[in-house]
Every structure is written in C-alpha cells, then in structure tokens.
Amino acid sequence: QVQLVESGGGLVQAGGSQRLSCAASGSIFSNSVMGWYRQTPGKQRELVADITSGGSTNYADSVKGRFTISRDNGKNTVVLQMSSLKPEDTGVYYCNVKQRDYWRRYDYWGQGTQVTVSS
C-alpha cells in the first residue's frame, strides 16, 4: 500500500554535498520510522540514518556530523542531506519506512538511488 519514490543521487566529488529525498504515498502512521539505508555490492545493507515522527534521529557512526536527516510529517517526506562526502559513502541508497499496527509490523522500501562519490 505504501510506496516510496526517491529522488536525488548521482555523481558527486569528494567533499561535496548531495540531497536525497523520499516521498511516501499511502498511510503513514504516527509511530513510523523513516530512514535511509545503503549497500554496496557484496556488502550487507546498513542503516545510514532514520527519524521518528517526533524528530528523534539515529545515525551511523560513519556519517555523524556529516549527514542530516529530516522529515515533514504533513508531506510524508524524508530528506537526507549529505555533506563532506567521501568515496566510502558510495552506494545504493534506499528509502525505508517501518511502522506497526496492532496486528503486525510493516516494512517498505524504495527502489534505490545510486550515489557515487569520486576521489
């Protein structure tokens, strides 16, 4: 039911910045956590950052101080602002929504967008 559409990404020089946006359609609950994950071929997908509807955030240690996640509950969008990018930030970034109701947990994923950081 929930669909996520990502925008942004592309080729960026090291030290540069990039902004990723994700727009969610469908029913987004107040208990939802929206976030971004990334993966490189052969590597396990990892959490980059996430944020609750109340604004509580989590960041991977590798991106703390460089990335900022935010969301607009009215628009059901989540944005990842990336700065001071490093080549090791290269990967496919996936928007994610996790939420629950009385009966079950829900987990939704975007299609992914490539971020390439050149040295």
Side-chain angles (χ1 to χ4, degrees):
Q1 182 178 347
V2 172
Q3 295 186 358
L4 307 177
V5 179
E6 300 146 334
S7 61
L11 198 157
V12 190
Q13 293 184 4
S17 62
Q18 186 67 248
R19 182 183 178 94
L20 304 180
S21 298
C22 176
S25 62
S27 182
I28 304 299
F29 304 157
S30 62
N31 62 40
S32 67
V33 179
M34 305 183 73
W36 291 90
Y37 292 71
R38 70 185 178 192
Q39 69 177 43
T40 302
K43 299 290 184 65
Q44 190 173 14
R45 183 176 56 198
E46 65 172 345
L47 174 68
V48 178
D50 62 23
I51 183 170
T52 69
S53 63
S56 297
T57 59
N58 289 303
Y59 294 93
D61 289 340
S62 61
V63 308
K64 286 181 179 178
R66 300 188 298 118
F67 291 10
T68 301
I69 191 168
S70 61
R71 69 186 282 176
D72 186 326
N73 293 329
K75 298 179 180 179
N76 287 329
T77 59
V78 60
V79 170
L80 185 68
Q81 179 64 52
M82 305 182 292
S83 62
S84 301
L85 283 162
K86 306 173 181 179
E88 48 263 46
D89 294 319
T90 294
V92 179
Y93 285 68
Y94 296 89
C95 182
N96 171 258
V97 174
K98 300 182 187 296
Q99 61 185 14
R100 56 176 168 81
D101 61 18
Y102 182 83
W103 299 104
R104 58 176 285 188
R105 296 170 293 168
Y106 303 86
D107 201 359
Y108 306 99
W109 296 92
Q111 190 166 336
T113 184
Q114 177 71 40
V115 174
T116 302
V117 183
S118 62
S119 59

